[in-house]
Amino acid sequence: GGGVERELALLLPMLDSPSVLCRNQEEKLLNDLMTNYNRNLRPAQGEGDIINVTLKLTLTNLISLVSRAPPPPTPSPLFQKWCDYRLQWDPDKYDNIQILRVPSTEVWLPDIVLENNIDGVFEITLYCNTLLDSNGCLLWMPPAIYRTSCAIFVTYFPFDWQNCSMVFQSQTYSANEINLLLTEEDGQTIEWIVIDPEAFTENGEWAIKHRPAKKIVNAERFTPDDLGYQQVVFYLIIQRKPLFYVINIIVPCVLISSVAVLVYFLPAKAGGQKCTVSINVLLAQTVFLFLIAQKVPETSDAMPLIGKYLTFLLVVTVVIVANAVIVLNVSLRTPNTHAMSQKVRQICLRRLPHFLGMHMRRSDMAPRLLLARRRSSLGLMVKADEYMLWKARTELVFEKQKERAGLMKAVLEKIGKGLENGCTQHLCHSLVQAGPEIRACVDACNHIAKTLREQNDFDNENEEWILVGRVIDRVCFLVMASLFVLGTVSIFLMAHFNQAPAAPFPGDPKCYLP
């Protein structure tokens, strides 16, 4: 009970407050203004009067620029101001009311729309009230999200900048009926898009470089009677922030591609491992190229810079795979299948290693006049046994035990008997008897020496082919590494110098900023 009485006591003084009276005066004023008012008629006092309509665009956020779908939606209230002589009043007659809020659906509107609208929706988000001054001037700030169409140039993607413009014009009235102008404040024309630092939200992908505004008169293509004769254009010159693409695509791709160059440090005979590593890198680059294809627009006018770089890396990797196959083919050659010419030996084993600073063995660089390398005693025994196996098995079975013990033992026994007698005649007789064994021993030694010489020549030529493969590997490594570094640096230098212009319009020194 007591609480209700106190609330009623509080409400009663409010009913007699000046605000309630003011609202009644506003209602009376609105009714008086709307009496005999026709919103379909242009507010021109004379037949040839032109209504001045001033425009000012305020940007609150650049949502995105989607190159494969609708262009950037931009939430921006467009300030429109004009004067209607039919809506003037004397503030003294209406309790000094200076400003009146009038529904925009009840007054004349200049029908200003975004001409380069992409989605075909010309309606604004909300038909809010207009602010009407006592002198008859109206200020209308309809909130809207504008989706504009602008040409996207992907040549330097993702280090590109774009110029997106919003073209506003009347869809109903020509230049003989209304005059589109930029807003003037404190004697200065607002020739830029207004951005409130406290209300504006930065975009994570795009940075605004320039935001000029201009009135365009298309006198060459249209006449004042045409709707497209006059336009007010608000430009947005924006630069892409490439950090996302650098961290997530470019840096991993460069690191993975550098692995393909490192395959040259594998041995020349490891061609299979080289091909495996290079093909894995090739597959990884294909994945990155597929990711880039999902980000850029489907156009054949230009190839993006990052697409050029990935294609360049693909070509380098394919060449590395081809080099690995060639080097493997050269390294596995033998004297039985290929004969090395003196010209190849002179270039690949003497000149190129010296020019490339490769450490080569002296026997590889000098003419092959050195003796064959020493073999172990085990190898000599194997060759001797191989010579003995030339004899038929029947001869080996029925030979005496001393003969089976070895040729040298039989020879020494026969010579030893002649030496025991101490007579020259007996010694000569013993040498004559040991002659066949001595001849067989000499033949065996000649066979062993010949076999060792042939095997050494075979091994040397095999090593020469491997060394040729090493030299080709080193040459290809230097070429591919230089190509990789120069290509990477040149492509990213192109990106570095592709910056938004210092001035919004070439040759125009005005900065179009407050």
Side-chain angles (χ1 to χ4, degrees), residues 156 159 305 485-499:
Y156 294 96
F159 303 93
L305 184 65
V485 173
L486 292 177
T488 302
V489 171
S490 61
I491 286 178
F492 288 109
L493 280 179
M494 294 171 56
H496 175 72
F497 289 109
N498 181 53
Q499 299 294 327

Side-chain angles (χ1 to χ4, degrees), residues 160-203:
D160 56 330
W161 60 273
Q162 306 296 335
N163 186 355
C164 291
S165 59
M166 290 177 283
V167 181
F168 290 94
Q169 70 179 39
S170 176
Q171 286 293 96
T172 308
Y173 302 99
S174 65
N176 293 326
E177 297 170 316
I178 66 171
N179 182 27
L180 297 181
L181 299 170
L182 292 172
T183 301
E184 289 189 8
E185 294 180 357
D186 301 328
Q188 184 182 14
T189 304
I190 309 300
E191 295 181 308
W192 56 84
I193 299 175
V194 178
I195 294 180
D196 186 0
E198 297 181 357
F200 182 73
T201 304
E202 289 285 346
N203 186 273

Side-chain angles (χ1 to χ4, degrees), residues 283-303:
L283 293 177
Q285 291 172 347
T286 305
V287 172
F288 282 112
L289 191 60
F290 178 74
L291 294 176
I292 292 299
Q294 293 180 326
K295 290 288 185 179
V296 298
E298 297 175 352
T299 176
S300 299
D301 296 335
M303 187 176 183

Side-chain angles (χ1 to χ4, degrees), residues 23-272:
R23 284 199 297 270
N24 292 334
Q25 290 297 323
E26 287 183 357
E27 183 178 359
K28 181 178 181 301
L29 174 59
L30 181 60
N31 291 333
D32 292 344
L33 293 176
M34 292 296 108
T35 301
N36 298 325
Y37 182 85
N38 190 347
R39 65 182 300 270
N40 296 319
L41 296 180
R42 187 172 59 93
Q45 290 181 323
E47 184 66 25
D49 289 349
I50 299 177
I51 309 301
N52 291 327
V53 180
T54 61
L55 303 178
K56 181 179 72 172
L57 185 66
T58 301
L59 185 65
T60 59
N61 187 12
L62 179 65
I63 298 178
S64 65
L65 191 148
V66 184
S67 53
R68 296 174 62 93
T74 308
S76 310
L78 180 66
F79 287 68
Q80 306 177 34
K81 188 175 182 179
W82 67 94
C83 293
D84 192 337
Y85 74 96
R86 297 171 295 180
L87 299 177
Q88 299 177 0
W89 76 89
D90 186 2
D92 296 334
K93 295 181 180 180
Y94 296 95
D95 293 337
N96 199 27
I97 297 176
Q98 300 290 337
I99 296 179
L100 182 66
R101 291 163 182 82
V102 182
S104 58
T105 55
E106 297 182 6
V107 297
W108 176 85
L109 299 176
D111 295 336
I112 305 298
V113 297
L114 180 65
E115 179 63 24
N116 56 340
N117 198 322
I118 189 62
D119 53 9
V121 179
F122 294 95
E123 294 291 333
I124 61 175
T125 305
L126 175 65
Y127 278 87
C128 59
N129 293 333
T130 60
L131 296 179
L132 176 61
D133 200 7
S134 60
N135 59 3
C137 292
L138 296 97
L139 177 62
W140 189 35
M141 302 173 290
I145 297 179
Y146 296 111
R147 290 179 172 86
T148 60
S149 62
C150 53
I152 303 298
F153 298 96
V154 298
T155 304
Y156 294 96
F157 176 87
F159 303 93
D160 56 330
W161 60 273
Q162 306 296 335
N163 186 355
C164 291
S165 59
M166 290 177 283
V167 181
F168 290 94
Q169 70 179 39
S170 176
Q171 286 293 96
T172 308
Y173 302 99
S174 65
N176 293 326
E177 297 170 316
I178 66 171
N179 182 27
L180 297 181
L181 299 170
L182 292 172
T183 301
E184 289 189 8
E185 294 180 357
D186 301 328
Q188 184 182 14
T189 304
I190 309 300
E191 295 181 308
W192 56 84
I193 299 175
V194 178
I195 294 180
D196 186 0
E198 297 181 357
F200 182 73
T201 304
E202 289 285 346
N203 186 273
E205 187 178 2
W206 297 94
I208 299 176
K209 294 298 183 180
H210 302 287
R211 42 189 171 93
K214 268 189 174 183
K215 178 183 177 180
I216 305 297
V217 178
N218 300 313
E220 298 179 356
R221 295 186 299 165
F222 302 102
T223 63
D225 294 328
D226 297 323
L227 297 179
Y229 179 78
Q230 60 175 350
Q231 297 173 335
V232 174
V233 184
F234 296 92
Y235 298 90
L236 270 178
I237 300 177
I238 52 181
Q239 179 92 37
R240 191 189 300 271
K241 300 176 182 178
L243 182 62
F244 172 81
Y245 298 93
V246 170
I247 298 299
N248 295 281
I249 295 180
I250 296 177
V251 171
C253 188
V254 171
L255 294 178
I256 291 176
S257 301
S258 62
V259 175
V261 181
L262 296 179
V263 300
Y264 288 110
F265 288 95
L266 292 174
K269 278 190 171 183

Side-chain angles (χ1 to χ4, degrees), residues 439-472:
R439 186 177 295 105
C441 185
V442 171
D443 293 339
C445 292
N446 289 334
H447 170 72
I448 294 172
K450 180 182 177 182
T451 304
L452 290 176
R453 196 162 44 247
E454 292 176 353
Q455 183 64 35
N456 192 64
D457 292 341
F458 187 88
D459 294 342
N460 283 340
E461 195 161 350
N462 268 349
E463 290 182 2
E464 286 179 346
W465 283 116
I466 296 175
L467 292 175
V468 170
R470 283 181 53 198
V471 172
I472 296 176

